[in-house]
Amino acid sequence: MTDILRMSNLYAPTLKEDPADADIASHRLLLRAGMIRKTASGVYTFLPLGYRVLTKIEDIVREEMDAIGSQEIMMPALQPAELWHESGRWDDYGPELMRLNDRHDHGFCLGPTHEELITALVRNELRSYKQLPCTLYQIQVKFRDEIRPRFGLLRSREFIMKDAYSFNADQESLQRTYDDMSRAYGIICDRCGLAYYPVEADPGQIGGSVTTEFMALAESGEAELVHCPCGYAANTEAGECQCAPTTYEVPALEKVSTPGVHTIEDLAKFLGIPESATVKALSGQDAEERLVVLFVPGDHELNELKAVREVPGFQLLTDEQMEGFGLHKGSMGPVGLPEGARIVADRSLQAVPQWVVGANEEGYHYVGARPGEDFAVDAWADLCVVAPGDACPECGKPLQGARGIEVSQVFQLGDKYSKAMGATFADEEGNEVPFTMGCYGVGISRTLAAIVEQHNDEHGIAWPLSVAPAHVCIVPLTVGDDLVQPEAERIARELVGIGFEVAIDDRDERAGVKFADADLIGWPLQVVVGKRGLANGTVEIKLRRTGEKKEVALDALTDLLGFAHRHKVATSPAGVGRFDALFN
Ligand code: 9G3
């Protein structure tokens, strides 16, 4: 950008008050700073400042995609239903998929993702192993009709995604592309100034098995993760659980009267033992509607994804179904279950010789119930949601907990889509083989919100330099026919001349209003030009990130900023807080 951004002419309606329905910092501040506006529930407009930031994030993503040889394309948002029938996914999704018919009554959807379209695109024209691997990407709008859109740009119904798809000849080649993408995604987070963890994740419905999520750390994030100084990190939905339940041993099996005890908390209190010394039962049924009772340590939660992996079709019983099986909610246990019930227990319980557990009788529990003696366990498996304090599966140290925003994700898809849609290539022997595919997504609008979640304070946003709507804002304290405004204009031109993006607050507003807006909008550096300073040949610079201020001689300003700029470029890959060098 070579033009100066003039606040007098800028469509950035800032708000003094917090908007009523803005639930988290990014939503609140992007609205207040005049960067976005709500068009409908979960649907937002980007105003000039917000759009500038969005474009900067897109350009960072483009550079990193181009650097690993991925090629940009643009597919339509409007997708024929036919292709979704081919992949078998038209019926997999419910109302989240936004469906519509054209005037000829042909079915379409507004694309929530583009696996189907891209597979159909290449299937007749990417023909030979000689053309592989091939990776294509686009930056495009996506639609998902979320039940409850919330958190502003973090969970919206229309959002911007960079989605890339790779077509590889085999697993080895896919692994290389996947590794390149993963590295690029790390660099993208770094360049956006995000503190993040790459975490092991669950592939869920999409198919395939290997996937990593890039989690921007934020208390407002919906995802829970665990991490370890050794470098291991996982989404708690997916992470392996290595918990260590407490043992509590008694001389013999004993049925204890526990009147009014229905929860693990009640039971632990009643017996005066920790929750980790109790065993929790969860009843469900498998795909054939047979009773399966799962057991986990009392201080841990059942991970239902893991339950389904172990017991295909597993579903927890409703209270009614429990009654139907003759089970007592709140006092279920492994001794005396109905005939034919399968018992699957968390593997950590193998180390617990005697269990404190329900007695299948209202108001009674067992202590000292011994697996292998008093009851039989049909299978041991990893069933729990991993929690902070559990042992790191890689180094054994206690895991730490955190919350995060999933900003991007890489997947190994395998041949699910290429097989279903007949996308094959001729290998070296001339055999027709389905592509081995990967898909890779960066939530662009979500990344923007995640950056604000990490870079804000009580005054507003504090953009990392790399994505800021402009690097510097010049704030003349008075406008009109004195020296201040012309000098501010001169400084602005000079800074543009050495490569800065510059805004100038040339509005006829009080200094207080300008300062408040500058802090709210979050320009990384403010240059305040006032009468008193000019009389001494100085201006004041203020670093938004820390609030530090400093008087700088007018004739040194340009050199100083230019130096800070070059210094930072040379010393940090992240491009964050480049102006900090001015204050060291
Ligand atoms: C749908 C609907 C919602 C969806 C999907 C399909 C999530 C769906 C997973 C992905 C995976 C990857 C390309 C880039 C990287 C991520 N929600 N997913 O497939 F029809 Cl309604 O989108 N897609």
Side-chain angles (χ1 to χ4, degrees):
M1 184 202 66
T2 49
D3 279 355
I4 296 168
L5 209 56
R6 295 189 171 279
M7 298 278 291
S8 61
N9 187 37
L10 183 69
Y11 190 67
T14 54
L15 309 171
K16 286 207 181 56
E17 305 294 330
D18 281 342
D21 56 350
D23 17 34
I24 55 170
S26 60
H27 190 197
R28 184 166 48 80
L29 291 172
L30 288 166
L31 286 167
R32 278 196 58 203
M35 298 207 175
I36 63 169
R37 283 296 177 263
K38 180 166 138 179
T39 299
S41 168
V43 181
Y44 290 87
T45 296
F46 289 87
L47 302 185
L49 290 178
Y51 193 54
R52 287 177 70 93
V53 177
L54 194 76
T55 304
K56 293 215 171 175
I57 298 168
E58 290 179 358
D59 286 345
I60 288 172
V61 171
R62 276 199 182 90
E63 277 180 33
E64 298 306 330
M65 287 301 100
D66 295 350
I68 57 170
S70 184
Q71 302 167 67
E72 187 166 11
I73 62 172
M74 182 68 157
M75 288 182 275
L78 194 62
Q79 307 189 357
E82 210 167 63
L83 296 177
W84 286 73
H85 284 302
E86 277 192 48
S87 71
R89 293 212 298 171
W90 185 259
D91 298 320
D92 285 355
Y93 286 89
E96 189 184 351
L97 185 60
M98 293 187 133
R99 302 163 211 250
L100 64 156
N101 287 339
D102 70 6
R103 64 171 78 214
H104 306 296
D105 218 27
H106 293 142
F108 286 85
C109 65
L110 296 178
T113 177
H114 281 71
E115 280 80 6
E116 280 79 2
L117 257 71
I118 194 120
T119 307
L121 177 77
V122 304
R123 69 176 152 191
N124 297 315
E125 293 173 303
L126 195 58
R127 298 293 312 132
S128 158
Y129 71 93
K130 290 179 191 159
Q131 298 165 282
L132 304 184
C134 174
T135 306
L136 303 172
Y137 78 94
Q138 64 174 347
I139 295 179
Q140 226 235 24
V141 62
K142 300 278 188 263
F143 299 87
R144 293 180 188 173
D145 198 356
E146 300 281 346
I147 305 185
R148 220 163 88 67
R150 61 204 143 130
F151 307 138
L153 299 182
L154 286 181
R155 189 158 294 280
S156 55
R157 298 195 297 170
E158 176 176 332
F159 56 96
I160 313 290
M161 188 199 276
K162 186 284 298 184
D163 46 327
Y165 305 87
S166 72
F167 297 90
N168 303 83
D170 53 30
Q171 176 59 33
E172 239 186 295
S173 165
L174 172 61
Q175 187 67 47
R176 276 193 295 273
T177 305
Y178 181 87
D179 291 343
D180 284 349
M181 276 287 172
S182 304
R183 261 191 302 277
Y185 278 23
I187 297 171
I188 290 167
C189 286
D190 284 337
R191 290 186 60 186
C192 289
L194 287 174
Y196 71 98
Y197 283 116
V199 306
E200 274 182 18
D202 187 277
Q205 226 172 345
I206 177 142
S209 54
V210 178
T211 175
T212 303
E213 288 169 346
F214 292 76
M215 291 283 189
L217 296 175
E219 273 313 302
S220 56
E222 289 183 273
E224 281 181 51
L225 48 124
V226 287
H227 59 96
C228 177
C230 80
Y232 175 83
N235 190 319
T236 57
E237 276 183 358
E240 183 182 335
C241 176
Q242 297 205 349
C243 51
T246 312
T247 56
Y248 175 73
E249 296 184 43
V250 291
L253 178 68
E254 192 186 328
K255 195 191 264 185
V256 189
S257 167
T258 51
V261 167
H262 288 109
T263 65
I264 288 292
E265 197 188 344
D266 295 343
L267 179 63
K269 270 203 191 119
F270 185 89
L271 296 172
I273 58 175
E275 290 183 14
S276 57
T278 68
V279 176
K280 178 156 54 184
L282 297 117
S283 57
Q285 52 187 18
D286 63 13
E288 274 87 54
E289 301 188 1
R290 290 175 303 209
L291 179 61
V292 184
V293 185
L294 307 182
F295 291 90
V296 300
D299 64 340
H300 275 69
E301 297 301 320
L302 174 71
N303 181 328
E304 291 188 45
L305 294 167
K306 290 180 181 176
V308 173
R309 210 170 302 150
E310 182 60 29
V311 181
F314 182 85
Q315 277 190 312
L316 286 168
L317 297 185
T318 61
D319 290 2
E320 235 165 61
Q321 288 172 317
M322 272 188 230
E323 268 174 42
F325 278 111
L327 297 171
H328 297 273
K329 194 186 178 188
S331 51
M332 281 188 295
V335 182
L337 280 172
E339 194 68 30
R342 243 184 108 211
I343 294 182
V344 182
D346 188 73
R347 57 187 186 182
S348 67
L349 292 170
Q350 279 180 297
V352 182
Q354 300 187 1
W355 294 9
V356 176
V357 71
N360 292 317
E361 199 179 325
E362 175 61 31
Y364 287 92
H365 282 79
Y366 279 120
V367 297
R370 294 159 303 170
E373 305 272 335
D374 303 311
F375 61 94
V377 174
D378 297 296
W380 302 94
D382 177 10
L383 293 178
C384 293
V385 179
V386 60
D390 292 344
C392 169
E394 265 162 32
C395 77
K397 292 208 187 75
L399 290 167
Q400 291 158 29
R403 299 190 71 89
I405 298 163
E406 182 202 329
V407 289
S408 48
Q409 187 162 19
V410 291
F411 286 93
Q412 296 191 8
L413 286 173
D415 58 11
K416 171 175 165 167
Y417 294 88
S418 50
K419 248 191 179 151
M421 299 181 69
T424 61
F425 67 98
D427 73 7
E428 282 178 68
E429 281 87 47
N431 305 315
E432 286 299 315
V433 186
F435 294 110
T436 300
M437 290 174 59
C439 70
Y440 318 88
V442 175
I444 303 276
S445 39
R446 191 181 264 198
T447 294
L448 188 151
I451 295 169
V452 179
E453 288 297 321
Q454 290 190 4
H455 297 272
N456 74 80
D457 60 22
E458 68 272 28
H459 305 295
I461 305 171
W463 291 108
L465 203 57
S466 56
V467 297
H471 303 130
V472 185
C473 183
I474 315 292
V475 185
L477 292 181
T478 51
V479 297
D481 55 358
D482 63 1
L483 288 176
V484 172
Q485 197 183 1
E487 190 55 21
E489 295 282 351
R490 191 195 61 74
I491 294 169
R493 280 194 303 275
E494 207 166 288
L495 293 181
V496 167
I498 60 166
F500 283 110
E501 295 175 14
V502 179
I504 185 164
D505 196 346
D506 54 353
R507 297 174 300 169
D508 189 7
E509 288 283 0
R510 286 183 296 113
V513 171
K514 293 187 181 187
F515 291 149
D517 278 351
D519 280 356
L520 179 60
I521 290 168
W523 319 105
L525 192 79
Q526 300 165 25
V527 176
V528 181
V529 186
K531 263 197 195 91
R532 195 151 1 122
L534 285 188
N536 300 323
T538 65
V539 291
E540 185 182 73
I541 58 174
K542 173 177 165 183
L543 188 65
R544 174 65 184 88
R545 202 175 65 74
T546 61
E548 286 167 279
K549 293 175 187 171
K550 188 165 162 173
E551 291 288 315
V552 175
L554 256 182
D555 53 13
L557 180 73
T558 302
D559 277 356
L560 211 57
L561 264 55
F563 169 75
H565 190 66
R566 286 191 303 277
H567 176 74
K568 186 59 195 185
V569 168
T571 54
S572 160
V576 180
R578 229 184 295 197
F579 291 118
D580 291 27
L582 291 173
F583 293 85
N584 290 339

